[in-house]
Amino acid sequence: MIRIGVLDTDGAFTDSYFVGKKWNRHGQRIEEGNRKKAGFSHAEYVCSHIYKENPDAEILLLPILGPNMKCTV
């Protein structure tokens, strides 16, 4: 198994594609109202492409946007 850290936006990861995938979010979750409504977030797209290449990967998502939608890194 390979572990991959992703520094990116946040995401809901509620799509059926992510069911059974190994991932963990570290840090504060961005409120639902501050994320875009339709489609995947950038982080969800990035993680889905990682899983496409390696379905057994474990992803640690580190959201770098704060509640004010500013980068915290």
Side-chain angles (χ1 to χ4, degrees), residues 2 17 20-22 49-58:
I2 187 168
Y17 180 80
K21 303 290 188 206
K22 299 173 189 165
H49 283 279
I50 292 170
Y51 287 132
K52 182 179 176 185
E53 293 297 317
N54 187 347
D56 297 324
E58 181 178 341

Side-chain angles (χ1 to χ4, degrees), residues 24-70:
N24 190 8
R25 178 186 297 107
H26 181 60
Q28 180 179 352
R29 177 143 166 79
I30 295 176
E31 295 177 18
E32 193 73 25
N34 287 338
R35 287 186 297 118
K36 70 182 205 176
K37 302 286 183 190
F40 281 180
S41 68
H42 188 267
E44 290 168 313
Y45 277 117
V46 169
C47 292
S48 68
H49 283 279
I50 292 170
Y51 287 132
K52 182 179 176 185
E53 293 297 317
N54 187 347
D56 297 324
E58 181 178 341
I59 294 177
L60 174 61
L61 175 62
L62 299 162
I64 60 171
L65 294 179
N68 60 359
M69 301 305 289
K70 301 286 184 182

